[in-house]
Every structure is written in structure tokens, then in C-alpha cells.
């Protein structure tokens, strides 16, 4: 009996050791050359990390788990963890993938959603991309020596401000409603405030505030179209509402009914400067490795296409990872020297992460603390990511405060969602954009670049090149003509 008890104790101890997670790190290479963007996943799970630009990775797994190493154009390899904490892997080139053309850190797949085969259109885009530095594909590793050509990533847009009836339908039931509730977003009682001058022209940068029963609900600021969208929330027949404007040291107000959806003001002597501020906040964790080199090329192209007619155009950049990584955030403040920001962008690469969720709240906090021009005609924050923030009450409160800050300062948040995102990311980011009168952008599979992209919940959308789409949005929200 004692022997049996000892055996059971020993067995439980062994099982406990095997179930305990350990951190495994190592390098994925091709016979000595690192493979950035390789996928390392735990077999029969959804846990996956991506190697950084030096081929390094880090993942948590149990001793009984099997790691699967994959890279486009190479044979996959499976390794049982056992007690290993360092696993270096050399992948072998596969000659069986003739249909795949490796470009940068993603793959070009044969797709004809846009009306042409993407694998053949890539060479055409490279020829069109003036100034783009594109090298031949190295047959041994499939890695580009320099930046890929811009104009390759494809994307769609869902403007929930314009398609609000569809937005309400989606967010009144199901998963979208639960996610909005989880993160404490309330999209009920939309109220549009429109401000124009005596000639009927829209006035930007007018402060607006909405009061319920004389208690402040939220603040906002009119954009280049003279509009700000606020939300009353749930109401009752006894509730009273007041809208106030703040401009040039003056205050104006109007009482509105609880069911009133629009209110207009006509004012004078208040004009925004012909200036725009654009900040790009980019998730630089390992999971972005399949697309980040392409995103860098697109962003550099976008920065170069801001119209010369704008009196002052400034750009800024925030890159972020997660708590416990080499850094949480890195940022360069607004600069009119586009090349300075481009150089900062060029120095960044994808690494770290390890779990699915990242420090999105810190990226917002740092980005919104930069020196935004309060007199600019437009202030736009492009938030480029593939994962949600960590969910806890502290982060819920921080995100709510940062979204309220963006709203009050007239900063439109435009999420750009990359591959690997789930529905929580989509629905949360659409709440970000609606709350700040922005729009929602998402990468699509049509380019054939990167891993799979989530299918957006919408009745319809148009597929565009990402750089053209983002330039179009800058033009739309700033009211300027941008160079094409």
C-alpha cells in the first residue's frame, strides 16, 4: 500500500512538472541565415509567435507540447519540448511551392479577387513605385534584402459614422454588443452638432459639450466638416439636454429634446489654420512580423504624399509592444521633417509579445500626449495593430479616459487592423473610431501578403490599396488635395 501511494505521488509530481509552462527561446534560420517572420506555434492550439528580424523567438509551453516551425517556401518542422529551454531550428528550403513567390516577410498567393492575379501584379507595382528599393528574391532564404515596394497591401474601410444604421444593428445584439459592454462603450442616442459661418461654410475646432440634466456627459470638437458627434446614452421622458459651444472666449448653448438627433449653430470669427497633424501608432510585437515591412513601405509613401498646399504638415510616430518586452513604447514627437520620422520608422522591427494581447492602452496614452496642434484643421491618429489590449478594470478606465481625451481634442482615431486579429479587435476598434468620429480600416487577403485576415462584419466594402485608402482619408478629413 505504501509502495502504491509513493508511486501515485511520484506520478502526480511528474505530471505536474510536465504541465508546468516553461519559456523556450531560440533562433529560426536557413542554414546560418536568420528567418524573420517565421511562425512558431504550439500544436493543436491557437498560441503562436513570430520570429523577429534576427530570427529570434520566445514562447511559453509545457514540456509535453510540440512546437511547429513554419515559414513560407520552407518545409515545416515539429519538435517536442521535453525539458528544453533553448530550441534552435534550421528549416530546409522546399522546391515544391512553385506557386508561391516570397516577398519580404509575407507570401504572394494566387488570388483574383481584384480582377488580376496578385502574384503577377506585384512586379507591375514594383515598376510603378518610383523610388522604391526592391531587390531580387534570394533563392536560398526568400528574404528581400531591402524594403518591399509600396502599393501592395490591400484594405477595406467601414465608415460606421456614415453607415450608422448598420452599426446600430450590429451593436444591439450578439458579440459586438457584449464587447462594447465589456469595455464600457455606449453608442446610444447619437446627436450630431453642426457648426457653420454666415456663408454656410463649416467651422472646425469649435469645442462642444453635451449635458444631461445639467451634468456633463461628454465633450468634443468639430472637424473640418464642422461636425461633432456626441452620444446621449439611454434616457427617460424626464431627462433634459443642453448643447454648448466654446470658441474665441465665448459660450453659446441650446436646449434640445431627448429625441433630437441634430442641432445646428451659426457663428462668426473662428477659423482653423491650414495645418494637419498625423500620428501613426504601430504595434511592433512579433505577431506583426508577417506584414510590418510592408506597412513601413506604405507609411513612408503616405508621408511623402501630403499636399504641398498645406501650410503646415507634421507627422509623428509611436511604436509599441507589451509589458515585459524590451520596451513598451517608443515615440518621436510631431515634426515637419518627414525624413526624420521616416528614419525613425526604418529603425523599427517586430519582436516580443508572446501572448495575444498587447499594451494598446499605453500606445494611446503616449500618442495622445504628443504636441498636437490645437489649431490644425485636422488631427488624425492611425492605430495599426492586430491584437486587443489586456482586459482588466485599470485598462478599461485608461482606455475610456484616452478615448474621451481624443474626442475632446478633436483627434480622430482610425484603426488599421492587420492579419491575425479576432472579432474582439474588430468590434473594439470600431468603437474607438465611432467614439472619435473616425473610421475603421482593415487589411484584406486580396494582396496575398501576410497571414489570414479576419472577414469584416459588414454588408459591403470596397477593396483598395492601403496607401491610396489612407491618403484618401487624410484628404477627406483634412479637406485638402493630396498628391497621387
Amino acid at each position: 500500500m505504501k509502495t502504491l501511494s509513493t508511486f501515485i505521488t511520484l506520478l502526480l509530481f511528474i505530471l505536474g512538472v510536465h504541465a508546468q509552462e516553461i519559456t523556450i527561446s531560440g533562433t529560426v534560420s536557413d542554414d546560418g541565415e536568420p528567418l524573420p517572420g517565421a511562425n512558431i506555434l504550439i500544436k493543436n492550439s491557437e498560441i503562436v509567435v513570430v520570429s523577429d528580424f534576427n530570427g529570434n523567438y520566445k514562447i511559453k509551453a509545457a514540456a509535453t507540447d510540440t512546437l511547429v516551425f513554419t515559414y513560407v517556401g520552407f518545409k515545416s518542422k515539429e519538435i517536442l519540448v521535453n525539458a528544453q529551454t533553448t530550441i534552435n531550428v534550421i528549416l530546409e528550403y522546399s522546391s515544391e511551392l512553385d506557386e508561391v513567390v516570397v516577398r519580404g516577410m509575407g507570401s504572394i498567393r494566387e488570388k483574383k479577387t481584384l480582377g488580376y492575379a496578385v502574384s503577377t501584379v506585384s512586379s507591375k507595382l514594383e515598376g510603378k513605385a518610383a523610388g522604391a528599393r526592391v531587390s531580387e528574391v534570394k533563392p536560398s532564404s526568400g528574404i528581400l534584402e531591402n524594403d518591399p515596394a509600396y502599393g501592395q497591401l490591400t484594405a477595406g474601410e467601414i465608415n460606421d459614422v456614415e453607415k450608422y444604421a448598420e452599426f446600430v444593428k450590429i451593436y444591439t445584439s450578439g458579440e459586438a454588443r457584449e464587447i462594447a459592454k465589456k469595455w464600457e462603450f455606449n453608442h446610444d442616442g447619437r446627436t450630431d452638432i453642426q457648426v457653420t459661418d454666415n456663408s454656410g461654410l463649416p467651422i472646425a475646432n469649435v469645442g462642444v459639450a453635451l449635458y444631461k440634466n445639467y451634468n456633463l456627459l461628454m465633450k468634443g470638437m468639430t472637424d473640418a466638416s464642422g461636425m461633432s458627434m456626441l452620444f446621449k446614452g439611454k434616457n427617460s421622458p424626464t431627462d433634459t439636454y443642453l448643447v454648448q459651444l466654446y470658441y474665441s472666449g465665448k459660450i453659446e448653448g441650446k436646449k434640445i429634446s431627448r429625441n433630437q438627433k441634430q442641432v445646428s449653430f451659426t457663428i462668426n470669427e473662428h477659423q482653423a489654420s491650414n495645418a494637419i497633424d498625423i500620428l501613426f501608432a504601430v504595434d511592433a510585437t512579433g505577431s506583426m512580423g508577417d506584414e510590418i515591412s510592408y506597412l513601413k513601405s506604405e507609411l513612408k509613401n503616405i508621408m511623402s504624399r501630403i499636399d504641398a498646399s498645406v501650410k503646415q504638415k507634421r507627422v509623428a510616430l509611436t511604436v509599441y509592444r507589451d509589458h515585459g518586452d524590451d520596451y513598451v513604447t517608443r515615440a518621436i514627437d510631431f515634426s515637419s521633417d518627414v525624413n526624420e520620422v521616416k528614419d525613425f520608422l526604418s529603425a523599427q522591427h517586430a519582436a516580443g509579445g508572446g501572448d495575444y494581447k498587447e499594451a494598446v492602452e499605453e500606445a494611446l496614452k503616449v500618442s495622445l500626449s504628443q504636441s498636437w496642434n490645437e489649431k490644425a484643421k485636422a488631427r488624425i491618429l492611425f492605430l495599426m495593430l492586430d491584437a486587443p489590449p489586456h482586459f482588466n478594470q485599470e485598462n478599461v478606465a485608461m482606455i475610456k479616459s484616452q478615448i474621451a481625451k481624443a474626442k475632446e481634442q478633436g483627434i480622430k482615431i482610425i484603426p488599421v487592423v492587420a492579419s491575425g486579429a479576432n472579432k474582439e479587435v474588430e468590434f473594439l476598434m470600431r468603437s474607438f473610431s465611432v467614439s472619435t468620429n473616425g473610421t475603421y480600416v482593415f487589411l484584406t487577403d486580396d494582396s496575398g501578403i501576410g497571414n489570414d485576415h479576419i472577414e469584416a462584419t459588414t454588408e459591403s466594402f470596397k477593396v483598395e490599396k492601403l496607401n491610396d485608402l489612407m491618403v484618401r482619408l487624410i484628404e477627406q478629413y483634412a479637406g485638402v488635395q493630396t498628391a497621387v
Side-chain angles (χ1 to χ4, degrees):
M1 189 69 178
K2 182 177 180 182
T3 303
L4 178 61
S5 176
T6 303
F7 173 77
I8 292 173
T9 302
L10 179 61
L11 179 62
L12 291 175
F13 173 77
I14 293 172
L15 290 175
V17 169
H18 279 267
Q20 185 176 3
E21 283 191 339
I22 57 177
T23 300
I24 303 104
S25 60
T27 301
V28 184
S29 64
D30 163 32
D31 196 19
E33 292 191 43
L35 291 179
N39 288 318
I40 303 93
L41 59 92
I42 298 177
K43 192 172 183 178
N44 298 324
S45 80
E46 296 182 356
I47 300 174
V48 59
V49 298
V50 180
S51 61
D52 63 21
F53 270 34
N54 296 313
N56 298 319
Y57 74 93
K58 186 180 292 185
I59 190 170
K60 289 184 177 180
T64 53
D65 286 332
T66 296
L67 300 185
V68 183
F69 298 81
T70 64
Y71 191 84
V72 175
F74 290 77
K75 296 178 183 178
S76 63
K77 181 175 288 189
E78 297 186 4
I79 297 178
L80 181 64
V81 172
N82 284 325
Q84 302 176 86
T85 56
T86 301
I87 301 178
N88 297 318
V89 173
I90 298 175
L91 297 182
E92 296 180 8
Y93 182 72
S94 174
S95 59
E96 299 177 359
L97 300 176
D98 294 334
E99 295 294 319
V100 178
V101 179
V102 178
R103 299 200 180 277
M105 294 171 61
S107 62
I108 307 296
R109 299 185 294 269
E110 288 281 356
K111 302 194 74 169
K112 296 189 178 181
T113 311
L114 292 175
Y116 46 70
V118 181
S119 60
T120 58
V121 84
S122 296
S123 60
K124 298 177 184 178
L125 291 172
E126 289 165 10
K128 281 180 61 179
R133 299 175 293 127
V134 182
S135 301
E136 293 296 322
V137 177
K138 296 169 63 178
S140 61
S141 66
I143 299 297
L144 283 176
E145 292 177 352
N146 294 307
D147 292 345
Y150 58 78
Q152 296 194 68
L153 292 179
T154 54
E157 177 200 2
I158 305 175
N159 191 321
D160 287 314
V161 175
E162 296 179 356
K163 301 170 66 175
Y164 196 69
E166 178 184 301
F167 176 82
V168 170
K169 182 179 178 180
I170 293 171
Y171 277 76
T172 51
S173 62
E175 187 177 4
R177 180 179 180 275
E178 293 306 311
I179 290 171
K181 182 178 179 181
K182 172 182 175 180
W183 290 95
E184 299 183 12
F185 280 93
N186 189 332
H187 306 301
D188 295 320
R190 171 178 173 172
T191 306
D192 293 348
I193 294 89
Q194 183 70 49
V195 182
T196 58
D197 63 13
N198 286 330
S199 301
L201 297 176
I203 305 295
N205 290 339
V206 177
V208 300
L210 177 64
Y211 292 83
K212 176 180 180 179
N213 301 329
Y214 300 100
N215 295 312
L216 178 65
L217 279 181
M218 65 175 57
K219 291 183 177 182
M221 187 171 289
T222 59
D223 58 18
S225 69
M227 197 270 281
S228 181
M229 185 175 75
L230 304 179
F231 299 92
K232 298 188 187 79
K234 298 291 185 182
N235 59 62
S236 66
T238 59
D239 290 330
T240 59
Y241 292 90
L242 171 70
V243 174
Q244 285 189 337
L245 300 190
Y246 304 86
Y247 66 99
S248 301
K250 302 176 182 178
I251 299 178
E252 290 188 29
K254 288 184 179 181
K255 288 186 177 180
I256 62 173
S257 69
R258 69 186 185 94
N259 295 319
Q260 190 170 340
K261 297 180 180 180
Q262 295 180 325
V263 55
S264 299
F265 291 85
T266 301
I267 67 173
N268 289 316
E269 63 182 272
H270 186 92
Q271 289 290 341
S273 67
N274 187 19
I276 57 176
D277 276 357
I278 304 169
L279 188 146
F280 301 94
V282 183
D283 179 347
T285 55
S287 62
M288 291 287 288
D290 60 321
E291 289 170 324
I292 196 166
S293 62
Y294 291 91
L295 286 170
K296 287 163 67 174
S297 292
E298 306 294 3
L299 294 186
K300 291 174 187 178
N301 173 247
I302 292 163
M303 291 179 195
S304 301
R305 291 168 62 182
I306 302 173
D307 196 298
S309 65
V310 179
K311 181 179 180 181
Q312 184 186 52
K313 46 188 177 293
R314 303 191 308 164
V315 292
L317 179 69
T318 301
V319 292
Y320 71 96
R321 291 183 180 171
D322 201 5
H323 300 281
D325 289 339
D326 290 344
Y327 65 86
V328 178
T329 61
R330 288 177 177 168
I332 181 171
D333 203 352
F334 283 101
S335 174
S336 56
D337 184 352
V338 173
N339 289 327
E340 179 184 7
V341 182
K342 285 183 180 180
D343 289 342
F344 181 81
L345 176 62
S346 294
Q348 310 308 316
H349 65 276
D355 59 355
Y356 182 52
K357 300 173 182 180
E358 315 297 359
V360 180
E361 73 288 345
E362 295 292 343
L364 284 176
K365 182 178 179 180
V366 169
S367 298
L368 293 173
S369 67
Q370 301 304 317
S371 58
W372 294 87
N373 180 1
E374 63 182 18
K375 295 182 179 180
K377 184 184 289 186
R379 291 168 291 276
I380 302 172
L381 194 168
F382 288 103
L383 177 59
M384 315 182 83
L385 75 175
D386 66 354
H390 294 274
F391 177 74
N392 54 57
Q393 289 307 307
E394 181 181 357
N395 282 355
V396 170
M398 181 183 291
I399 287 174
K400 284 178 63 179
S401 68
Q402 296 306 311
I403 295 297
K405 181 177 180 179
K407 178 72 173 175
E408 184 175 351
Q409 294 181 357
I411 301 169
K412 291 182 184 294
I413 296 178
I414 303 178
V416 181
V417 173
S419 66
N422 61 17
K423 279 297 172 183
E424 179 171 15
V425 178
E426 176 188 339
F427 293 138
L428 180 58
M429 291 304 108
R430 289 172 73 170
S431 287
F432 279 20
S433 63
V434 163
S435 298
T436 59
N437 298 183
T439 190
Y440 173 76
V441 176
F442 53 99
L443 301 187
T444 72
D445 285 340
D446 300 274
S447 69
I449 296 171
N451 298 318
D452 290 338
H453 300 84
I454 192 170
E455 184 176 342
T457 302
T458 184
E459 294 176 358
S460 64
F461 68 92
K462 176 184 176 182
V463 178
E464 304 175 62
K465 294 176 183 177
L466 176 65
N467 59 338
D468 291 343
L469 191 161
M470 292 175 69
V471 169
R472 174 176 63 78
L473 292 176
I474 293 170
E475 176 181 337
Q476 173 184 334
Y477 289 127
V480 300
Q481 294 297 316
T482 50
V484 179

